[in-house]
Amino acid sequence: MTELSLIRNFSIIAHIDHGKSTLADRLIQQTGGLTAREMTSQVLDNMDIEKERGITIKAQTVRLDYTAKDGITYQLNLMDTPGHVDFAYEVSRSLAACEGALLVVDAAQGVEAQTLANVYQSIEHDHEIVPVINKIDLPAAEVDKVKAEIEEIIGLPADNAVLTSAKSGIGIDEVLEAVVTRIPPPKGDRNAPLKAMLVDSWYDPYLGVVILIRVIDGVIKKGQEIQFMAAGTKHLVDRVGCMRPKLEILSEIAAGEVGIITAQIKEVAQTRVGDTITDAKRPAAEPLPGFKEVQPVVFCGLFPTDAADFEKLRESISKLRLNDASFSFETESSAALGFGFRCGFLGLLHLEIIQERLTREFDLDLITTAPSVVYKLELSRSKTEDARTMELHNPADMPDINRIAEIQEPWIEATIYCPDEYLGSILKLCQDRRGIQKQLTYVGGRAQIVYELPLNEVVFDFYDRLKSISRGYASFDYHQIGHREGDLVKMSVLVNGDAVDALSMIVHRGTAEARGRGMCERLKDLIPRHLFKIPIQAAIGGKVIARETIAAMRKDVTAKCYGGDISRKKKLLEKQKKGKAKMREYGNVSIPQEAFIAALRMGEE
Amino acid sequence: MSNPLALYIHWPFCVSKCPYCDFNSHVRESVDQDAWCAALLADMAHEAALTPGRKLSSIFFGGGTPSLMPPSTVAALIDAAAQHWGFADNIEITLEANPSSVEASRFADLAKAGVNRVSLGLQALDDAALAFLGRAHSVGESLAALAVAQQHFGRVNIDLIYARPEQTATQWEAELRRALSFGTDHMSLYQLTIEAGTRFETLVRTGHFTPADDDDAATLYDMTQDMTRAAGMAAYEISNHARAGHESRHNLSYWRYDDYIGIGPGAHGRRLKCATQRHKKPENFLSAVDRNAHGISAEDHLDPASRATESLLMGLRLSEGISLDRLSSRTGIAPDKMLDFTAVDKIARLGLITRTGDRITVTPQGMPLLDAILPQIVAVEADAAA
């Protein structure tokens, strides 16, 4: 066992590209966790997508043994937290498992807006925050200016910030020393009934579900019967250990420590992030505070391009779900897309990640339908049914308009940080999306804007637009603030007179016409010309609100006969047939699958 | 009686490579004429040995620039062909020629060698356009060559390339009217297409010029159909026009999917249910003939489904359309296993195809859309042969 005074639990907060992963790798290397040869770059971000996007999706942890200048060896637990608003709840649980954080700031870039949200969360958890100014060996490094920014913008003293270059290995010992001397040790009572927080869990093909825990009180050992307090289930612990970053089996994890356990659990869905783990025989009186059931907020349909891939899609989704209980799925059938799944996600990034993993790891071609949020509908009485409320996840399930007494849509409170110069266009974007401004303040040359926004205005391309109008400098954070009544209607899209169910969406009446027009214009460019002219219409009920026409194709022919070389024509025919197989037929019109995705990206309006 | 047999002979050399051309043509400092004559004769002998007892209905010298061949080589090849197979009555022997004075000076000898039809690559009747197309001749020179050709050969075709960048309808109308006034019995009117690997493709990619827009090109195409029909030279194939009875017999063999033998570099053949292809690069061809006594680089058996598909791809280019009964009897595949009749009927309702009896015909309105129509209707099932 390790004395509480010799344990330090900390996370690293950094803007993308400010060197979080490189620093983490250096800390592991310096303390002998891995040899240089074993380090693929950025050990903690395992998934390809994490490495490519520079974001952390699953929380990771590593235990380091560090012998400090005082000659004593300390146990350091580094928690790598997810870095995106979609995973805000997971972030809050990871932070709750630590006593301190390293705030890594790029010496040339300075404090970035995105960092602030996480720093504030960390401060809320009463963390001791150690500023680390990284990349100090860059020619453009301005250490003093960055120190001033940390003090002015974040309000943290920065005179004793640690100066590093993780890339060149400068200042790594100083970081480790600061962790030991400045971050407080955890508190806890080894003899109290077991109380451990379930920080994260993932599926390992060899070990089954692996659970990352932080023990608050008591001890957890192999063979112990434990209980998940929120889920109410009991399990037998069959493995206790920690990541170094390779798995090391331990005899116990005691109060104050971070580690992993397995308990013959088959599905990640049985483990809920934030749940309290206690001893089944000697349970804790109270669970830990802060547990929340995570609910998907964005839904969309995923359909295989090739209908024959439906079973493969089911298997693939089930496999992903093994490791990510935060998304849900159920079978859905569409008139034109055939069988697929209605899936729920924590947010748009989460949606994109799942979609990308399905295409990449399982080699599936997918059609994604318009993302939708969860509407609450008040239905009035009908001849056969009483008045009731329902949740609507799919515009296709919209009941008869005459029965709808009220539609409520989810709203969020969004906080945006951006450099001053982009403020005007960002305010316009928020206004265009039916936003209500709540706050506008300046923090050192940067604006902080708080807006209330309907979530359905955000799920389309809000991030993309925000990123493009601020050239990547704006950051965005949100939380849900409940449902509100809205003047919402279902907009259908008709191609050659046939409604394309995959493109129908719920929109605000006030923005319906602009949305419809934008959609028709985009489809006009996305659908290739056919042998006949094709009307494209957007309609609310029977009323057409926007219309475009794709003119009939006039010429598509091979002029020459190539001296009897028929193979060219045959190749062309085969290519065209293959292309045709990737299209979907609506009212005799072939729509390429890219059109479904691209049609939903709102351009400049 | 066996079906007609056509012979294609490819001469791969040009003085210079035209920027739009993606045919198998090569520029060489010098050509060993004796070696080439011998190689082509050997390649021909190989094919002749495989097709005994057939008579030739046509010979076509294509290229490259076959008008650069020594007339003695042309004569030797024609004589050898006569020896190997024998000629059907009224055999058509065509040679492609550049309309330059040098080449025109050989027309008399070529006629003597047995050539009875020339295809002149006029390409344009505008000096600036000829320069743009990389042609070495002027309009004046072309017309002089045309006059010589009309003197020596019973039948003359002229090639023109239209829908050039920025060519207006008015300009093309005047150009075509002038071309029609020459009184040839055959015209090949090709729209300019930008082919992969050509100099034009590079120029388009680097923004040096923009090809004609498809809609504008369609307007020119429609105009061309009206004018040629009025002049008694309606299209019998997408880009080919002739006075009745003066259609290119040789090219009809391709489109009707009769057997044709292709010799010389890069030549394609269809005979004995096989697709043949020759080595494309002249040097490789020569060494192949040296080694194997033929220039074949690939010879593939065509199953009934492939033959049916090819027949449809070629046959539907003709205004006469295609007889499904004939195609069925040739391939053993039932018509409903070759075509998607639901799609055929749908497209027929748009006025782009007609069905009369067992015959499917693409209408003049459908012709410029053929590449879009074919993938929708041609659906030959593999192993469909009874």
Side-chain angles (χ1 to χ4, degrees):
Chain A
M1 66 169 271
T2 309
E3 291 287 337
L4 285 175
S5 65
L6 302 182
I7 300 170
R8 299 292 183 273
N9 299 316
F10 69 103
S11 64
I12 304 179
I13 297 169
H15 186 76
I16 289 171
D17 289 340
H18 281 199
K20 177 172 82 167
S21 302
T22 316
L23 178 63
D25 291 351
R26 282 288 175 193
L27 298 179
I28 296 168
Q29 208 182 349
Q30 197 88 344
T31 54
L34 283 178
T35 63
R37 194 176 53 81
E38 285 175 309
M39 306 276 296
T40 68
S41 66
Q42 306 192 350
V43 176
L44 294 183
D45 287 348
N46 277 326
M47 285 189 249
D48 284 348
I49 299 176
E50 291 182 317
K51 283 183 185 163
E52 278 172 28
R53 297 197 175 201
I55 52 169
T56 305
I57 297 164
K58 299 297 284 180
Q60 303 280 337
T61 173
V62 63
R63 181 181 289 194
L64 314 169
D65 288 332
Y66 172 64
T67 307
K69 284 190 183 141
D70 58 13
I72 299 170
T73 300
Y74 292 83
Q75 178 200 118
L76 311 186
N77 292 301
L78 163 58
M79 308 271 293
D80 193 11
T81 55
H84 191 275
V85 288
D86 283 1
F87 309 108
Y89 176 66
E90 282 80 350
V91 176
S92 79
R93 294 307 86 198
S94 297
L95 292 178
C98 299
E99 281 76 39
L102 300 175
L103 166 64
V104 179
V105 182
D106 183 310
Q109 307 288 324
V111 174
E112 292 283 359
Q114 197 199 348
T115 323
L116 292 174
N118 284 337
V119 177
Y120 290 144
Q121 264 212 16
S122 190
I123 292 171
E124 268 176 42
H125 282 92
D126 279 333
H127 280 178
E128 182 62 37
I129 295 169
V130 178
V132 175
I133 300 177
N134 192 26
K135 306 194 190 179
I136 54 160
D137 53 350
L138 284 183
E142 290 182 283
V143 173
D144 289 337
K145 192 177 156 220
V146 172
K147 278 186 181 177
E149 278 189 10
I150 292 173
E151 299 197 343
E152 189 192 345
I153 301 173
I154 305 177
L156 283 175
D159 49 329
N160 58 354
V162 184
L163 306 183
T164 64
S165 167
K167 204 175 160 200
S168 318
I170 301 168
I172 305 305
D173 273 327
E174 287 76 359
V175 172
L176 290 163
E177 249 344 276
V179 168
V180 168
T181 56
R182 288 163 62 180
I183 293 175
K187 297 188 183 76
D189 180 357
R190 182 185 164 85
N191 299 312
L194 173 66
K195 206 187 247 191
M197 185 171 70
L198 198 162
V199 179
D200 200 1
S201 62
W202 59 92
Y203 183 81
D204 181 289
Y206 301 104
L207 305 176
V209 173
V210 179
I211 302 169
L212 172 62
I213 58 164
R214 158 69 195 271
V215 178
I216 307 295
D217 288 323
V219 179
I220 194 165
K221 290 182 178 169
K222 181 178 172 177
Q224 187 174 355
E225 198 190 2
I226 52 167
Q227 184 176 357
F228 293 163
M229 293 182 82
T233 53
K234 292 180 183 173
H235 304 274
L236 201 64
V237 176
D238 62 357
R239 215 178 264 109
V240 167
C242 67
M243 308 304 285
R244 281 188 174 279
K246 283 181 271 187
L247 174 67
E248 181 179 309
I249 299 296
L250 301 172
S251 59
E252 61 166 48
I253 307 169
E257 291 183 314
V258 172
I260 60 116
I261 59 166
T262 63
Q264 294 167 353
I265 297 171
K266 300 272 185 302
E267 286 174 28
V268 169
Q270 293 173 268
T271 61
R272 303 184 198 169
V273 171
D275 202 346
T276 303
I277 299 171
T278 190
D279 188 289
K281 294 194 183 73
R282 190 186 160 217
E286 293 276 314
L288 297 162
F291 173 73
K292 228 168 52 173
E293 204 56 85
V294 288
Q295 296 288 354
V297 294
V298 176
F299 286 80
C300 79
L302 294 180
F303 292 84
T305 305
D306 180 348
D309 280 342
F310 174 71
E311 278 307 323
K312 189 178 169 196
L313 177 60
R314 182 203 296 280
E315 277 168 32
S316 310
I317 287 183
S318 308
K319 272 188 198 151
L320 280 190
R321 160 96 183 157
L322 275 183
N323 218 354
D324 183 353
S326 56
F327 87 94
S328 63
F329 67 98
E330 60 187 31
T331 313
E332 176 183 8
S333 74
S334 146
L337 298 180
F339 283 101
F341 294 96
R342 190 83 191 158
C343 302
F345 306 92
L346 297 178
L348 266 195
L349 178 84
H350 191 209
L351 183 161
E352 270 181 47
I353 287 166
I354 297 285
Q355 188 193 335
E356 211 167 294
R357 292 187 65 185
L358 286 169
T359 358
R360 239 193 248 192
E361 295 170 26
F362 298 95
D363 196 24
L364 282 161
D365 266 341
L366 295 177
I367 295 173
T368 315
T369 66
S372 166
V373 299
V374 180
Y375 298 95
K376 286 185 182 163
L377 269 52
E378 299 279 349
L379 301 184
S380 52
R381 256 182 63 160
S382 74
K383 277 179 199 156
T384 53
E385 247 190 328
D386 283 341
R388 63 183 177 103
T389 61
M390 67 171 277
E391 279 197 352
L392 183 74
H393 293 178
N394 186 348
D397 300 333
M398 182 96 153
D400 178 10
I401 193 88
N402 298 317
R403 277 207 65 197
I404 301 173
E406 186 179 305
I407 305 181
Q408 294 184 354
E409 59 179 328
W411 279 67
I412 59 166
E413 184 179 273
T415 307
I416 297 165
Y417 301 96
C418 69
D420 207 9
E421 62 215 275
Y422 306 113
L423 182 62
S425 34
I426 291 174
L427 290 179
K428 184 176 180 306
L429 174 68
C430 292
Q431 290 303 135
D432 289 347
R433 301 298 171 97
R434 297 193 279 135
I436 301 167
Q437 198 185 103
K438 303 305 280 184
Q439 202 189 321
L440 173 56
T441 47
Y442 285 90
V443 209
R446 281 157 214 261
Q448 175 186 320
I449 319 158
V450 179
Y451 257 90
E452 289 180 355
L453 283 157
L455 185 60
N456 89 347
E457 299 285 345
V458 175
V459 294
F460 286 105
D461 60 342
F462 191 84
Y463 294 123
D464 291 350
R465 299 280 303 127
L466 187 67
K467 252 186 271 168
S468 83
I469 60 182
S470 70
R471 295 209 251 128
Y473 282 109
S475 78
F476 175 78
D477 191 11
Y478 73 86
H479 61 270
Q480 293 205 64
I481 52 171
H483 279 71
R484 292 180 189 174
E485 189 184 351
D487 187 7
L488 299 165
V489 288
K490 176 178 163 183
M491 183 175 89
S492 315
V493 176
L494 292 87
V495 172
N496 205 25
D498 277 14
V500 181
D501 53 359
L503 290 175
S504 67
M505 56 171 86
I506 310 264
V507 293
H508 189 263
R509 197 184 297 278
T511 57
E513 203 185 311
R515 273 278 166 76
R517 208 176 327 112
M519 175 74 85
C520 290
E521 279 165 13
R522 269 188 304 282
L523 284 173
K524 187 185 173 184
D525 293 337
L526 291 164
I527 298 174
R529 285 166 77 174
H530 280 55
L531 294 172
F532 43 90
K533 71 173 183 202
I534 305 166
I536 299 173
Q537 297 156 302
I540 297 171
K543 190 184 162 213
V544 173
I545 54 169
R547 184 196 164 99
E548 289 283 338
T549 304
I550 302 175
M553 180 196 290
R554 291 190 56 200
K555 188 196 143 196
D556 181 9
V557 69
T558 308
K560 281 176 272 186
C561 104
Y562 292 102
D565 179 3
I566 306 177
S567 51
R568 290 175 75 116
K569 294 193 178 67
K570 242 164 60 180
K571 267 182 211 146
L572 173 68
L573 184 80
E574 279 155 24
K575 201 175 125 204
Q576 288 170 320
K577 291 226 164 206
K578 252 185 213 147
K580 208 179 154 220
K582 290 210 159 184
M583 309 259 211
R584 293 285 166 160
E585 291 271 332
Y586 288 87
N588 291 334
V589 177
S590 303
I591 307 183
Q593 73 181 104
E594 310 88 71
F596 289 97
I597 300 159
L600 301 167
R601 301 215 181 277
M602 303 281 143
E604 300 283 341
E605 278 167 19
Chain B
M1 182 204 120
S2 61
N3 287 324
L5 184 65
L7 171 65
Y8 176 78
I9 302 173
H10 193 81
W11 184 257
F13 303 109
C14 285
V15 171
S16 61
K17 181 103 186 163
C18 298
Y20 55 86
C21 175
D22 68 334
F23 282 59
N24 186 33
S25 58
H26 303 265
V27 178
R28 292 290 182 271
E29 291 258 310
S30 64
V31 174
D32 182 342
Q33 297 294 353
D34 293 341
W36 274 95
C37 185
L40 290 171
L41 286 169
D43 205 22
M44 185 193 293
H46 173 81
E47 290 293 320
L50 294 169
T51 48
R54 306 277 294 265
K55 285 209 184 312
L56 290 183
S57 55
S58 65
I59 301 176
F60 194 104
F61 291 88
T65 311
S67 50
L68 294 175
M69 289 172 86
S72 59
T73 301
V74 176
L77 288 163
I78 294 174
D79 289 347
Q83 296 267 311
H84 287 310
W85 290 284
F87 291 163
D89 294 343
N90 302 321
I91 184 169
E92 172 191 282
I93 302 180
T94 308
L95 183 135
E96 284 180 339
N98 269 345
S100 78
S101 50
V102 181
E103 283 146 307
S105 69
R106 296 174 172 189
F107 286 172
D109 288 338
L110 288 169
K112 213 175 289 165
V115 173
N116 56 24
R117 183 174 180 270
V118 286
S119 175
L120 276 184
L122 297 192
Q123 314 309 8
L125 298 175
D126 175 286
D127 281 337
L130 286 172
F132 168 74
L133 293 170
R135 304 293 293 179
H137 50 93
S138 64
V139 176
E141 219 175 339
S142 310
L143 297 187
L146 174 61
V148 180
Q150 284 174 315
Q151 216 179 307
H152 288 289
F153 303 103
R155 297 167 63 196
V156 175
N157 167 58
I158 54 174
D159 278 357
L160 290 175
I161 296 175
Y162 73 107
R164 305 185 296 255
E166 288 168 40
Q167 185 181 30
T168 64
T170 323
Q171 286 167 349
W172 172 235
E173 187 187 353
E175 201 172 345
L176 180 57
R177 196 165 301 287
R178 190 170 173 203
L180 285 165
S181 74
F182 300 151
T184 61
D185 57 25
H186 196 283
M187 289 171 109
S188 297
L189 306 172
Y190 297 111
Q191 293 209 336
L192 177 62
T193 48
I194 307 300
E195 304 294 345
T198 60
R199 185 159 163 66
F200 270 179
E201 189 207 20
T202 312
L203 292 175
V204 168
R205 188 161 18 87
T206 51
H208 283 79
F209 73 88
T210 311
D213 160 280
D214 275 352
D215 285 354
D216 294 340
T219 304
L220 297 192
Y221 184 87
D222 293 346
M223 202 175 90
T224 304
Q225 306 316 305
D226 293 344
M227 286 174 66
T228 51
R229 200 177 303 119
M233 290 185 81
Y236 68 99
E237 191 263 359
I238 286 163
S239 305
N240 285 278
H241 302 255
R243 254 172 253 297
H246 291 270
E247 297 84 3
S248 161
R249 223 168 292 159
H250 185 82
N251 284 344
L252 279 175
S253 290
Y254 298 153
W255 294 316
R256 289 175 176 162
Y257 206 59
D258 291 324
D259 275 2
Y260 51 95
I261 281 162
I263 66 166
H268 288 260
R270 291 289 182 277
R271 48 92 174 124
L272 308 172
K273 298 178 180 173
C274 281
T276 61
Q277 191 177 351
R278 256 65 183 174
H279 286 279
K280 287 184 85 168
K281 204 177 161 207
E283 293 73 18
N284 295 353
F285 174 82
L286 274 191
S287 62
V289 173
D290 214 31
R291 272 194 322 275
N292 313 322
H294 62 72
I296 296 176
S297 63
E299 179 163 353
D300 298 306
H301 175 74
L302 294 166
D303 60 18
S306 301
R307 282 183 277 128
T309 302
E310 293 194 342
S311 300
L312 287 164
L313 295 186
M314 296 304 263
L316 290 171
R317 296 179 68 88
L318 291 172
S319 61
E320 67 184 26
I322 199 162
S323 156
L324 296 178
D325 288 350
R326 175 172 180 252
L327 184 52
S328 266
S329 70
R330 288 174 79 183
T331 59
I333 302 177
D336 63 351
K337 299 262 193 287
M338 295 191 285
L339 288 170
D340 175 347
F341 281 104
T342 316
V344 168
D345 290 343
K346 232 184 250 178
I347 293 169
R349 280 197 291 279
L350 297 170
L352 305 177
I353 303 184
T354 54
R355 260 177 95 179
T356 323
D358 78 312
R359 193 163 278 276
I360 296 272
T361 308
V362 177
T363 65
Q365 293 71 37
M367 279 301 176
L369 296 164
L370 187 64
D371 284 358
I373 293 173
L374 289 172
Q376 303 201 36
I377 63 169
V378 175
V380 180
E381 291 178 20
D383 311 318

